[in-house]
Amino acid sequence: MEEKKFDVQSLIGFFLIGGILLWMLYNNSFDDNNKEEPKDNIEQVESTPVDTNTQEAPSQNALTDSTAIAEAKKNLGAFGYSATLDAASGKTTTISNDVLELKLENKGGYISEARLTQFKTFDSIPVYIIKDGNASFNLRFTTNDGRVLNTENMYFQPNVTRSGENQVLSMKLKVSETEFLEYRYVLKPGEYMLDFSIRSQGLNRVISSSEPVNLDWKLKGYRHSKSISYENRYTELSWEYDGGEDDYLGQGDLKDDEAEDVTWIAFKQHFFSSILLTDTPFTSAKFISKNLVQDEDVDTLYTKDFAASMPLELKGGELNYNMNWYYGPTDYKILNDYDRNLDEVVPLGWGIFGWINKFIFIPFFAFLASFLPSYGIAIIVMTIIVRIVLSPVTYKSYLAQAKMKILRPEMNEINEKYKDNPMKKQQETMKLQSKAGARPLSGCLPALMQIPVFYALFQFFPSAFQLRQKGFLWADDLSSYDTIAELPFKIPFYGDHVSLFPILASIAIFVYMMMTTGQTMQQNQQPGMPNMKFIMYLSPLMMLFFFNNYASGLSLYYFISNLITIGIMLVIKYVIVDEDKIHAKIQENKKKPRKQGKFAKKMQEMMEQAEQQKNAKK
């Protein structure tokens, strides 16, 4: 009976203790008006931090926390103090303005979510540069007692204040109330750029000065555009170094590089970028870029994986770096307005091509877009004006072609007469062209002069942030490809859709080539040489495939440009240029003694010497 009595008493005691614990949990977690079930009470207590100052008796959770704190002090040494603070609850802190919302993790003190509030992705969801663990920011250092610690594993204590209209967030990783490592964020109204500083106070006795403090920053770029392959083509890691020079890793499955005296690092995505700037240059930095798009059908979330690693210098045993973060559009105007050389992040072309874009096309296009009803019309108007400005060059090029066309019968006679003597044939051809005032280079040079303009515009349209999600005619986004038909299969190098603007551009290019080079190609076909007519057909076809996944704004430009060029050439041919007059003038020129240029004279002398040596050997 005693054993049974003991079992009953134990059972009663178990239920009694359980009831008391449930009652304590109930009172600590809910107000008098809340009458939910005890099971729900327990769940609420587990997710809500406990106020130890008002608690009369330690709960089981508090005992567990005490054990964790002791373990933290054992592992973290002096930094174990941070585990005793409220930040150990693992919350996030949010700061925002009208264009940017940032969430920061108490654990690690870094930005864990960055949302651009004014923009949507191609599928109408908010644009996040950082979300769901795709980015990390960590300081790795060694303490005087030999521990290697990472800030991403420790808890910072947040404190949000205001300085005028600015939001100030101080995140402190504490050794004591007066000794800490601080990340300080200052967000201003309407700005994508925030002030950021790293400083320490009283840590010279904690952090070892014999080992470097290393900053590691990583980010996997989210997809934001309709074509992930096209977006990935303009996604790359770039940096500024050596007082104003800039460089980038470029494309490739795995790229890496190093630099010294680095003043900013940009994880550039096509239309949105993350940039870290520092007033105190990093003495050195290592960069890695890994391509994450191997198969567009499978790899649909991320474009590239970026990583940068930089040592931070201790001064007097303390850290003190003033920096900035930029989370925003890869927009030339916005970046250029900061006057920090950030416009180099936008790929406008090197050398003269970039200058043409910066000082001509970007301001001119912005001017047109300011009053025209759509960006598509602005592209058309700008293309028309560019072609009109270049029309004198087109005229000179066509005039040179017309002269060569008139001389072709005489050149054919020379080819037939000296078909067994290539040297003599070349000499006589040059003499004929010189007397007539018709040189092949006179047609090539005007065409070469247009290359900088064409290449600059080729760089301009894919980089124009203004075109993003702006529609025109059947294209719903001029920064991406237009679609008039979806294919039930995928064609290699072409895609699974049909874009109309590239088709129109390819037809216009084909017509232009027929007008300018079709007849010449056919008549100058040499035995054993590749079929030039086939090449003429192949070029527009290659462009059709190449541009099917490119920005429709670029295809629109090429279509209008070639259409206008065709029109200008028809006007030149049938209105301005009179081939009979050109022929008569050529005949007059042939009768006049013509002074040779130094280059032509030198070439003729060399050819004559070669001919004499050849005859002497016979």
Side-chain angles (χ1 to χ4, degrees):
M1 288 294 294
E2 289 296 323
E3 184 178 354
K4 186 176 181 179
K5 183 178 179 180
F6 175 77
D7 289 339
V8 172
Q9 289 175 341
S10 298
L11 188 61
I12 293 171
F14 176 81
F15 279 109
L16 182 61
I17 294 172
I20 293 171
L21 287 173
L22 288 173
W23 179 80
M24 290 174 63
L25 291 171
Y26 184 89
N27 282 313
N28 284 333
S29 304
F30 294 89
D31 59 31
D32 292 336
N33 295 324
N34 196 326
K35 302 299 181 183
E36 294 186 17
E37 293 299 321
K39 180 180 178 181
D40 292 333
N41 297 343
I42 295 173
E43 292 176 352
Q44 182 67 22
V45 168
E46 290 175 347
S47 63
T48 304
V50 178
D51 186 352
T52 56
N53 293 326
T54 60
Q55 189 178 12
E56 295 181 1
S59 66
Q60 184 62 41
N61 284 340
L63 293 175
T64 304
D65 290 342
S66 297
T67 304
I69 289 169
E71 185 67 21
K73 288 184 176 180
K74 179 181 177 181
N75 295 329
L76 304 177
F79 283 97
Y81 177 80
S82 62
T84 67
L85 306 175
D86 291 341
S89 61
K91 292 181 180 178
T92 61
T93 304
T94 301
I95 55 176
S96 63
N97 57 24
D98 52 343
V99 298
L100 185 62
E101 181 183 83
L102 302 173
K103 291 186 178 179
L104 296 98
E105 293 288 330
N106 291 359
K107 185 178 182 181
Y110 62 92
I111 297 171
S112 60
E113 189 172 291
R115 179 171 71 93
L116 304 183
T117 60
Q118 305 296 312
F119 303 103
K120 301 289 185 181
T121 65
F122 73 101
D123 50 357
S124 301
I125 64 174
V127 169
Y128 287 92
I129 295 181
I130 299 176
K131 189 183 180 184
D132 297 334
N134 73 313
S136 65
F137 183 84
N138 177 57
L139 294 188
R140 185 176 68 254
F141 56 87
T142 303
T143 61
N144 285 326
D145 55 3
R147 291 180 172 86
V148 178
L149 301 179
N150 294 281
T151 56
E152 63 185 359
N153 298 324
M154 297 185 284
Y155 289 96
F156 289 67
Q157 189 173 43
N159 182 38
V160 180
T161 58
R162 282 191 174 271
S163 176
E165 295 183 338
N166 302 336
Q167 297 176 66
V168 180
L169 171 59
S170 171
M171 305 285 281
K172 291 183 178 179
L173 175 61
K174 294 184 174 181
V175 170
S176 69
E177 285 303 308
T178 58
E179 299 169 304
F180 50 80
L181 172 68
E182 180 186 31
Y183 293 166
R184 184 179 177 86
Y185 303 86
V186 180
L187 184 61
K188 303 171 184 177
E191 285 283 351
Y192 295 104
M193 183 87 74
L194 62 150
D195 297 338
F196 173 62
S197 61
I198 301 175
R199 74 179 187 95
S200 65
Q201 179 175 301
L203 297 189
N204 53 349
R205 70 173 185 86
V206 179
I207 298 178
S208 173
S209 58
S210 61
E211 298 292 335
V213 177
N214 210 67
L215 189 161
D216 294 310
W217 177 35
K218 299 178 181 179
L219 181 140
K220 288 196 291 186
Y222 272 122
R223 171 196 187 173
H224 297 124
S225 300
K226 185 161 54 174
S227 172
I228 191 170
S229 295
Y230 181 68
E231 180 178 11
N232 200 29
R233 189 177 294 122
Y234 294 93
T235 299
E236 61 191 10
L237 193 157
S238 59
W239 63 91
E240 182 189 61
Y241 69 102
D242 197 22
E245 299 294 324
D246 60 271
D247 205 347
Y248 61 96
L249 285 183
Q251 306 301 312
D253 288 339
L254 185 63
K255 305 281 286 185
D256 64 272
D257 205 343
E258 299 181 16
E260 297 179 351
D261 296 325
V262 175
T263 44
W264 56 251
I265 303 162
F267 293 167
K268 172 195 170 294
Q269 298 167 252
H270 187 190
F271 285 129
F272 302 100
S273 294
S274 307
I275 308 174
L276 176 63
L277 307 93
T278 176
D279 293 345
T280 304
F282 302 124
T283 54
S284 64
K286 296 181 180 179
F287 312 108
I288 298 175
S289 173
K290 182 180 180 182
N291 181 28
L292 300 179
V293 183
Q294 301 297 331
D295 185 341
E296 187 172 357
D297 295 328
V298 177
D299 306 317
T300 60
L301 184 59
Y302 299 110
T303 53
K304 285 188 174 68
D305 191 358
F306 298 128
S309 181
M310 300 77 70
L312 301 184
E313 291 184 333
L314 292 166
K315 294 182 179 179
E318 303 287 355
L319 288 171
N320 189 6
Y321 276 80
N322 292 320
M323 304 181 185
N324 295 93
W325 284 109
Y326 176 86
Y327 294 104
T330 312
D331 186 326
Y332 174 83
K333 185 180 185 309
I334 294 175
L335 294 171
N336 187 56
D337 286 347
Y338 286 113
D339 198 23
R340 302 281 294 272
N341 202 33
L342 293 179
D343 57 286
E344 296 297 335
V345 172
V346 183
L348 298 175
W350 54 271
I352 188 174
F353 310 115
W355 283 84
I356 292 173
N357 276 323
K358 290 179 182 180
F359 299 109
I360 299 177
F361 291 137
I362 289 177
F364 184 54
F365 186 76
F367 168 72
L368 293 175
S370 67
F371 64 88
L372 291 174
S374 76
Y375 282 93
I377 293 176
I379 291 174
I380 293 173
V381 171
M382 187 171 82
T383 307
I384 292 172
I385 294 173
V386 169
R387 293 311 309 167
I388 291 175
V389 170
L390 292 175
S391 59
V393 178
T394 306
Y395 169 74
K396 289 184 178 180
S397 179
Y398 184 84
L399 186 62
Q401 292 178 20
K403 289 181 178 180
M404 295 301 295
K405 179 182 176 182
I406 292 169
L407 288 178
R408 190 170 294 119
E410 296 180 59
M411 291 173 63
N412 290 338
E413 290 179 8
I414 293 173
N415 291 339
E416 183 64 27
K417 183 177 180 179
Y418 300 104
K419 61 182 179 181
D420 297 328
N421 191 341
M423 189 72 70
K424 187 66 175 176
K425 179 173 66 175
Q426 186 67 23
Q427 286 179 345
E428 294 300 319
T429 300
M430 289 181 65
K431 285 181 181 178
L432 174 65
Q433 291 172 350
S434 178
K435 288 181 179 180
R439 298 183 180 88
L441 286 178
S442 61
C444 296
L445 290 177
L448 291 174
M449 290 172 61
Q450 300 181 64
I451 290 178
V453 175
F454 292 153
Y455 183 77
L457 287 168
F458 177 80
Q459 293 291 109
F460 168 76
F461 284 108
S463 302
F465 185 84
Q466 306 96 306
L467 299 181
R468 184 180 180 272
Q469 297 183 347
K470 299 298 190 299
F472 181 67
L473 299 178
W474 56 85
D476 56 6
D477 185 351
L478 287 169
S479 71
S480 185
Y481 58 82
D482 65 289
T483 305
I484 59 168
E486 297 283 354
L487 300 177
F489 49 84
K490 188 171 184 178
I491 301 174
F493 305 107
Y494 185 75
D496 56 0
H497 64 277
V498 177
S499 299
L500 183 55
F501 277 130
I503 294 175
L504 296 175
S506 298
I507 292 173
I509 289 174
F510 176 74
V511 173
Y512 170 75
M513 292 183 69
M514 286 291 293
M515 290 177 61
T516 56
T517 59
Q519 188 176 0
T520 304
M521 283 183 178
Q522 194 168 2
Q523 292 185 358
N524 291 347
Q525 181 68 41
Q526 299 294 328
M529 294 294 289
N531 192 318
M532 301 302 290
K533 192 173 182 180
F534 169 75
I535 294 177
M536 185 181 66
Y537 288 123
L538 182 64
S539 298
L541 188 63
M542 290 177 63
M543 182 173 182
L544 175 64
F545 272 75
F546 184 73
F547 280 92
N548 194 61
N549 292 295
Y550 257 70
S552 54
L554 184 61
S555 300
L556 171 62
Y557 156 72
Y558 275 113
F559 169 57
I560 299 298
S561 178
N562 283 283
L563 208 60
I564 295 170
T565 304
I566 291 169
I568 291 174
M569 291 191 67
L570 289 174
V571 171
I572 292 172
K573 181 177 181 180
Y574 293 106
V575 179
I576 299 175
V577 172
D578 188 331
E579 291 189 2
D580 291 335
K581 289 184 178 180
I582 294 175
H583 184 269
K585 190 173 182 179
I586 287 176
Q587 297 306 317
E588 290 179 8
N589 289 339
K590 288 165 65 176
K591 296 175 182 178
K592 297 176 182 178
R594 190 172 183 86
K595 185 179 180 181
Q596 283 185 320
K598 291 183 178 179
F599 178 76
K601 187 176 181 180
K602 186 68 176 177
M603 286 293 296
Q604 186 171 345
E605 289 175 356
M606 290 173 62
M607 293 175 69
E608 289 176 352
Q609 290 175 4
E611 181 69 18
Q612 292 173 2
Q613 291 175 1
K614 182 179 178 182
N615 294 333
K617 289 181 180 179
K618 292 181 180 179

